[in-house]
Short mmCIF file of all heavy atoms in Angstrom, two decimals:
data_model
loop_
_atom_site.label_atom_id
_atom_site.label_comp_id
_atom_site.label_asym_id
_atom_site.label_seq_id
_atom_site.Cartn_x
_atom_site.Cartn_y
_atom_site.Cartn_z
N GLY Y 504 -31.36 47.85 -13.56
CA GLY Y 504 -31.09 46.78 -12.61
C GLY Y 504 -29.93 45.87 -12.95
O GLY Y 504 -29.73 44.84 -12.30
N PHE Y 505 -29.13 46.24 -13.97
CA PHE Y 505 -28.05 45.36 -14.40
C PHE Y 505 -26.72 45.68 -13.72
O PHE Y 505 -26.50 46.79 -13.24
CB PHE Y 505 -27.89 45.44 -15.93
CG PHE Y 505 -29.00 44.74 -16.65
CD1 PHE Y 505 -30.13 45.44 -17.05
CD2 PHE Y 505 -28.94 43.39 -16.91
CE1 PHE Y 505 -31.18 44.80 -17.70
CE2 PHE Y 505 -29.97 42.73 -17.55
CZ PHE Y 505 -31.10 43.44 -17.95
N HIS Y 506 -25.85 44.68 -13.71
CA HIS Y 506 -24.47 44.85 -13.29
C HIS Y 506 -23.61 45.12 -14.52
O HIS Y 506 -24.01 44.81 -15.65
CB HIS Y 506 -23.96 43.60 -12.58
CG HIS Y 506 -24.51 43.41 -11.20
ND1 HIS Y 506 -23.84 42.72 -10.22
CD2 HIS Y 506 -25.68 43.81 -10.63
CE1 HIS Y 506 -24.56 42.70 -9.11
NE2 HIS Y 506 -25.69 43.36 -9.34
N ILE Y 507 -22.41 45.66 -14.28
CA ILE Y 507 -21.50 46.05 -15.36
C ILE Y 507 -20.20 45.25 -15.23
O ILE Y 507 -19.56 45.26 -14.17
CB ILE Y 507 -21.19 47.56 -15.30
CG1 ILE Y 507 -22.48 48.39 -15.34
CG2 ILE Y 507 -20.23 47.95 -16.42
CD1 ILE Y 507 -23.28 48.27 -16.63
N GLY Y 508 -19.81 44.56 -16.33
CA GLY Y 508 -18.58 43.78 -16.34
C GLY Y 508 -17.43 44.58 -16.92
O GLY Y 508 -17.54 45.14 -18.01
N ILE Y 509 -16.32 44.61 -16.20
CA ILE Y 509 -15.14 45.39 -16.58
C ILE Y 509 -13.97 44.46 -16.88
O ILE Y 509 -13.63 43.58 -16.07
CB ILE Y 509 -14.74 46.38 -15.47
CG1 ILE Y 509 -15.90 47.33 -15.15
CG2 ILE Y 509 -13.49 47.17 -15.87
CD1 ILE Y 509 -16.37 48.19 -16.30
N ASN Y 510 -13.34 44.66 -18.05
CA ASN Y 510 -12.10 43.97 -18.40
C ASN Y 510 -11.17 44.95 -19.11
O ASN Y 510 -11.43 46.17 -19.11
CB ASN Y 510 -12.40 42.73 -19.25
CG ASN Y 510 -13.12 43.05 -20.56
OD1 ASN Y 510 -12.84 44.06 -21.21
ND2 ASN Y 510 -14.05 42.19 -20.96
N GLY Y 511 -10.11 44.45 -19.71
CA GLY Y 511 -9.14 45.34 -20.36
C GLY Y 511 -9.73 46.21 -21.44
O GLY Y 511 -9.30 47.35 -21.64
N CYS Y 512 -10.73 45.70 -22.17
CA CYS Y 512 -11.37 46.49 -23.22
C CYS Y 512 -12.17 47.66 -22.66
O CYS Y 512 -12.48 48.60 -23.39
CB CYS Y 512 -12.28 45.61 -24.08
SG CYS Y 512 -11.39 44.48 -25.16
N SER Y 513 -12.50 47.59 -21.38
CA SER Y 513 -13.24 48.67 -20.71
C SER Y 513 -12.31 49.79 -20.24
O SER Y 513 -12.78 50.77 -19.66
CB SER Y 513 -13.98 48.12 -19.49
OG SER Y 513 -14.70 46.95 -19.78
N LEU Y 514 -11.00 49.63 -20.48
CA LEU Y 514 -10.00 50.52 -19.90
C LEU Y 514 -9.10 51.15 -20.96
O LEU Y 514 -7.99 51.58 -20.65
CB LEU Y 514 -9.15 49.73 -18.89
CG LEU Y 514 -9.94 48.99 -17.80
CD1 LEU Y 514 -9.04 48.04 -17.03
CD2 LEU Y 514 -10.62 49.96 -16.85
N LYS Y 515 -9.60 51.23 -22.20
CA LYS Y 515 -8.76 51.70 -23.30
C LYS Y 515 -8.55 53.21 -23.32
O LYS Y 515 -7.44 53.70 -23.56
CB LYS Y 515 -9.37 51.27 -24.64
CG LYS Y 515 -9.26 49.79 -24.95
CD LYS Y 515 -9.85 49.50 -26.33
CE LYS Y 515 -9.69 48.04 -26.71
NZ LYS Y 515 -10.25 47.75 -28.03
N THR Y 516 -9.62 53.98 -23.12
CA THR Y 516 -9.58 55.43 -23.32
C THR Y 516 -9.86 56.16 -22.02
O THR Y 516 -10.40 55.59 -21.06
CB THR Y 516 -10.62 55.86 -24.36
OG1 THR Y 516 -11.94 55.66 -23.82
CG2 THR Y 516 -10.48 55.06 -25.66
N GLU Y 517 -9.56 57.46 -22.01
CA GLU Y 517 -9.87 58.27 -20.83
C GLU Y 517 -11.39 58.31 -20.60
O GLU Y 517 -11.84 58.34 -19.45
CB GLU Y 517 -9.32 59.69 -21.00
CG GLU Y 517 -7.80 59.77 -20.96
CD GLU Y 517 -7.19 59.34 -19.64
OE1 GLU Y 517 -7.90 59.41 -18.61
OE2 GLU Y 517 -6.01 58.93 -19.63
N GLU Y 518 -12.16 58.32 -21.68
CA GLU Y 518 -13.62 58.29 -21.53
C GLU Y 518 -14.05 56.99 -20.86
O GLU Y 518 -14.94 56.99 -19.98
CB GLU Y 518 -14.30 58.42 -22.89
CG GLU Y 518 -15.83 58.46 -22.78
CD GLU Y 518 -16.52 58.51 -24.13
OE1 GLU Y 518 -15.84 58.34 -25.17
OE2 GLU Y 518 -17.75 58.70 -24.14
#
Side-chain angles (χ1 to χ4, degrees):
F505 287 92
H506 287 207
I507 304 296
I509 302 299
N510 59 39
C512 288
S513 312
L514 306 169
K515 287 183 177 180
T516 68
E517 291 297 336
E518 182 183 10

